[in-house]
Amino acid sequence: MRLTIFGSGYVGLVQGACMAEMGNHVVCYDIDEDKIERLNNGEIPIYEPGLEAYVERNVEAGRLEFTTDVKKAVDHGLYQFIAVGTPPDEDGSADLKHVLAVARAIGENMDDYRIVVDKSTVPVGTADKVKAEIASQLARRKLPLEFDVVSNPEFLKEGAAIGDFMKPDRIIIGTDNPRTTELLKTLYEPFNRNHDRVISMDIRSAELTKYAANAMLATKISFMNELANLAEKFGADIEHVRIGIGSDPRIGYHFIYPGAGYGGSCFPKDVQALAKSASDAGYDAELLKAVEAVNLRQKTRLFEKVQAHYGGELKGKIIALWGLSFKPNTDDMRAAPSRVIMESLWDAGAKVRAYDPAAMHEARRLYGDQHGLELCESALDALDGADALVIVTEWQEFRSPDFAMLKETLGDAVVFDGRNLYEPSTMEAHGLQYYAIGRGQT
Ligand SMILES: NC(=O)c1ccc[n+]([C@@H]2O[C@H](COP(=O)([O-])OP(=O)(O)OC[C@H]3O[C@@H](n4cnc5c(N)ncnc54)[C@H](O)[C@@H]3O)[C@@H](O)[C@H]2O)c1
């Protein structure tokens, strides 16, 4: 089948590669000329395990192409996927300018029936806006062409995106027309071999399902962070509490890790956007606002621990920092807790020696001229000359360090762990002072 995907970022590129892998002919379109040029030169602009091999294989087979030619893009696919960004606007709402620009481009260029499939995360009612935009362009061109708009939100996780796309938990198809449900089911058939994962529903419910999923996951995280802060006040250990509640199958072990707060391109903006949509609809979404507020506070907790340890005297301190991406296995630093912590350390006069296995280029892009930042070659290199270590992202390579070496290297022999990677007793046995999240200290 022939597909066009608008937007070649984390979602669009993964979808393009996976759809091509199944034998479809995919054209990926992006307005970012530099990105398309890099892709055409065989360079993958993002870090996503397994993606490079998929792209390489399918480009070679002629099933995957990248273009900035919008006419070619609209002409190519019966299916026109929208996978562009929906960043937060100043008031927290989802900014639809990229989504509507794609709708306009489709309406301006289509010469035949098209199914427009929205994969971007968009507020309820966006499909109507996309429809109106395409219809107005067709009216302007005096071309009475048929088209359908479908909501097909994406649930992949950065860092595991290929696996998630190839074996999705569910494929949500929101349509107002049985014909498009069937066309979408046919397209997704290869992803359904094991069992049918398609859940079809009306468009508005599909749009809301995506926000509901992210808001639920964000709520679990903020809940555990709130409990972790309470555990500190009460002298309890949140790690025992976590195991204790996770054993209840109604709660489960997933997504109840306390930490330095959630980040990334989805949870923060989606919780905010849903709260804003609620308020626009005359509903005060108190729980969602609290989830967001708890998370913002949590992102400052690690820094507060550093500051308290040093009695507010951070000027001239050198802090090693492990982990810049918002979670392991990605280079994405959007809304990452590391940014809040580094910026607070700089404001307090400390210097940061940072290392991340994948996000160094992103850190250089964001903070290249920040004189308080030294980007280091390795986790070990980051420790060189440092007084303390702060761990922000739970990359596997940080899980089992040489504790004796840490004690010897760190000037003040102190570790601040935003991901609870180590046992406090192990740290104590090695003579290291250890601050974790929700494990006893305030
Ligand atoms: N990143 C994730 O893990 C994830 C998961 C599920 C859903 N989503 C949602 O999917 C959408 C895309 O997210 P992403 O992380 O891939 O974003 P991204 O920022 O990585 O990529 C978006 C791409 O769209 C391109 N673009 C912007 N305007 C365009 C236009 N008019 N025509 C063509 N391309 C255009 C940009 O240049 C960029 O390359 C968002 O709505 C996001 O919330 C993201």
Side-chain angles (χ1 to χ4, degrees), residues 205-381:
S205 302
E207 289 171 332
L208 185 55
T209 299
K210 174 63 193 177
Y211 280 106
N214 277 357
M216 170 63 100
L217 295 171
T219 302
K220 287 180 90 170
I221 296 174
S222 277
F223 174 83
M224 278 312 277
N225 285 333
E226 184 113 293
L227 265 286
N229 296 335
L230 280 181
E232 289 180 9
K233 295 276 176 219
F234 297 157
D237 184 341
I238 193 68
E239 289 301 323
H240 294 317
V241 177
R242 179 176 67 77
I243 305 289
I245 63 169
S247 58
D248 181 336
R250 293 170 305 174
I251 297 174
Y253 293 109
H254 291 298
F255 253 79
I256 56 168
Y257 290 96
Y262 62 74
S265 69
C266 294
F267 292 177
K269 82 169 171 60
D270 292 349
V271 171
Q272 268 180 45
L274 185 55
K276 179 67 173 62
S277 298
S279 120
D280 291 347
Y283 182 83
D284 187 13
E286 288 184 52
L287 179 60
L288 296 176
K289 289 195 292 190
V291 167
E292 155 91 354
V294 167
N295 191 57
L296 290 178
R297 190 176 58 190
Q298 196 67 16
K299 283 179 162 179
T300 66
R301 288 293 292 140
L302 256 191
F303 171 71
E304 284 163 9
K305 284 169 190 272
V306 179
Q307 204 183 31
H309 175 81
Y310 285 110
E313 293 298 318
L314 279 166
K315 214 170 167 53
K317 284 286 168 197
I318 298 176
I319 310 294
L321 188 138
W322 287 356
L324 293 162
S325 56
F326 82 93
K327 66 174 184 180
N329 296 320
T330 182
D331 57 356
D332 198 340
M333 286 181 65
R334 288 179 280 186
S338 64
R339 299 175 65 167
V340 175
I341 293 156
M342 287 197 297
E343 287 168 18
S344 305
L345 287 168
W346 295 328
D347 284 348
K351 287 198 173 2
V352 175
R353 293 181 59 78
Y355 167 72
D356 186 282
M360 302 304 274
H361 69 101
E362 188 59 4
R364 202 163 292 119
R365 189 182 71 80
L366 291 166
Y367 297 115
D369 47 12
Q370 169 58 247
H371 71 272
L373 176 65
E374 188 81 40
L375 290 169
C376 302
E377 295 283 306
S378 66
L380 276 187
D381 183 23

Side-chain angles (χ1 to χ4, degrees), residues 7-11 29-32 35 83-86 98 101-102 120-121 154 156 158 210 265-266 269 334:
S8 305
Y10 288 89
V11 169
Y29 167 87
D30 205 291
I31 46 168
D32 183 339
K35 190 176 266 189
V84 297
T86 44
H98 301 307
V102 174
S120 297
T121 302
E154 181 51 57
L156 63 75
E158 284 176 24
K210 174 63 193 177
S265 69
C266 294
K269 82 169 171 60
R334 288 179 280 186

Side-chain angles (χ1 to χ4, degrees), residues 110-124:
M110 64 189 268
D111 291 317
D112 208 344
Y113 172 70
R114 290 288 177 264
I115 308 172
V116 179
V117 189
D118 186 22
K119 261 214 166 295
S120 297
T121 302
V122 291
V124 176

